[in-house]
Amino acid sequence: MTLTLTFMFVLVASWTMVLCTKEEPMSEDPPLLQVPAVEARSRFAALDDVRLLANGLLQLGHSLRDFVQKTKGQINDIFQKLNIFDHSFNQLSVLASEIKEEEEELKKTTVVLKANNEEIKSLSLEINSKVESILQERSQLQSKVGGLEEKLSGLSQGLVPAEQLAEISTLKDVIHTQERSIAELLKAVREQSDQLVQQRSKIKTLEEKLTFNPSMQETIEKPSDNFQSVTPDLTGYLTNTSANGSFNMTDLPSDCCELFTRGERASGMYTIKPNQSEPFMAYCDMDQDGGATIIQRRKDGSVNFDQNWEKFENGFGDFQGEFWLGLKKVHSLASQGDSFLNIQLEDWKQGKRFIEYNFSLDGPEAHYTIHLSQASGNLPDAMSNHTGMKFSTKDRDNDNLEDSHCAYTYTGGWWFNACGDTNLNGRYIHVRSKGRSECRRGIHWKPTRGASYYLRSTQISIRSTPTTTATSASSETGNFR
């Protein structure tokens, strides 16, 4: 390009000199000698020079055009790269803001757990002091009984007064009552100790997350294997012996709906007695649509739901946190008549929705086969293809796939039809996973059409009457759209 321009410059300069050249003027003095006149030089360039100049100019134009086109292409490439950089920067800004919000939430949760830990410690100290006072009273009563026994041995030759016999009987009853109270308090102390262990474990996990660099890993899971040995069982069935006469066993409500009818309005733990069942403790959710018996709750991953058949049949967890009521108890509730299964879900964008099914559950001889038909709700249906399915756990395979064991592969007991379907008892994962196989191992809701929803919290309850309002306070935001 430089050589061509140089050549053209020289050519133009030469042509200019040719054009500017003029004929020499004749002298006005008469010549001394008669010399033949010289032919005048032409004022115009030769045709070959003109052609050469035109070709040079044409080549110069082509070169300039190619140069301009190349320059435009390079400018367009630079603009495309700048657009890509702006888009990547915006994505990084959004990701950084989300990570910051999750870090703040973890800090708040840690503060709450530490406060709960202090409350539990103070409660444990109070219980220990009560146990010590009861033990002192017991020793005093035993000394009194010993004195009365000595009196009885001294009066063995005569008749014992009726008043002393009544006093002895009363003291024995008091001692037995105190022994039962001591046993109950010791049990409460053990439960408080277990809760302290769980709280310490949760605080330690959260502290590790706060010190962990969130930009190095998008998916953070609860170490569920460590919870296997400390997963508590729910309170079992109550009997006349265990009740100690503290309430009338014959006047218990059959479910939480009956409690609501009797006037109870506070959500919490109550004793219920469904038909053909022993009494047991249950958590009742009292709202404007009546009482609902909660059978499952997930909210923070504090309880490992990858349990065996016996655990899922009898129930496990903590009523104040995460728990599974137990298949036996759910069957007794569903066997009383018309039942409605209410499912409330929340995703990681605080989007909340619910769905409610007409519901029935077979007994243990049929592996607790579930029967569902949709009744109402604003959540896409994902359970219709589970109707007629048996319950499966990691040690009992009842799904429809011969060569696979869904409960073992994807964790958690559920009414599996095929692996990868909806599973609300799966592993608790704190951040939405990008891998399909990883998502299937977590708590997710998979409608018949569309993508699966990765969930933050779930609540499953049983009602004897359908809901008339959106009790779940559903929100259209989040991933449910």
Side-chain angles (χ1 to χ4, degrees), residues 125-143:
L125 294 175
E126 183 179 355
I127 292 175
N128 288 332
S129 63
K130 290 183 179 180
V131 170
E132 291 178 357
S133 62
I134 291 174
L135 290 175
Q136 292 177 358
E137 292 179 0
R138 180 184 177 183
S139 61
Q140 293 176 0
L141 290 173
Q142 286 179 345
S143 62

Side-chain angles (χ1 to χ4, degrees), residues 144-270:
K144 291 182 180 180
V145 171
L148 290 174
E149 288 179 351
E150 292 178 357
K151 291 181 180 180
L152 285 175
S153 62
L155 298 173
S156 59
Q157 300 298 327
L159 295 175
V160 179
E163 295 178 356
Q164 291 184 357
L165 289 175
E167 184 179 358
I168 292 171
S169 178
T170 302
L171 287 174
K172 286 183 177 180
D173 292 338
V174 172
I175 290 173
H176 291 314
T177 304
Q178 293 292 338
E179 289 178 349
R180 288 195 297 267
S181 299
I182 291 170
E184 292 176 356
L185 284 173
L186 291 175
K187 181 180 178 181
V189 170
R190 286 193 296 269
E191 292 177 354
Q192 293 293 336
S193 177
D194 294 338
Q195 291 183 5
L196 282 173
V197 172
Q198 292 182 13
Q199 294 286 351
R200 291 193 187 98
S201 178
K202 289 163 67 175
I203 292 173
K204 183 179 179 181
T205 303
L206 289 173
E207 289 176 348
E208 290 176 354
K209 287 181 181 178
L210 289 175
T211 57
F212 184 72
N213 184 7
S215 63
M216 298 295 294
Q217 182 178 356
E218 291 185 347
T219 302
I220 306 172
E221 300 183 8
K222 282 281 185 177
S224 58
D225 295 338
N226 295 334
F227 289 107
Q228 180 70 28
S229 60
V230 298
T231 301
D233 294 330
L234 285 181
T235 305
Y237 290 97
L238 304 176
T239 62
N240 289 323
T241 302
S242 62
N244 293 328
S246 59
F247 52 82
N248 188 358
M249 300 285 288
T250 61
D251 192 30
L252 294 174
S254 60
D255 56 17
C256 296
C257 183
E258 184 176 344
L259 269 171
F260 187 86
T261 305
R262 294 184 182 185
E264 292 289 349
R265 293 295 183 270
S267 299
M269 294 171 55
Y270 293 92

Side-chain angles (χ1 to χ4, degrees), residues 466-479:
T467 57
T468 58
T469 59
T471 57
S472 60
S474 61
S475 173
E476 296 295 331
T477 60
N479 297 324

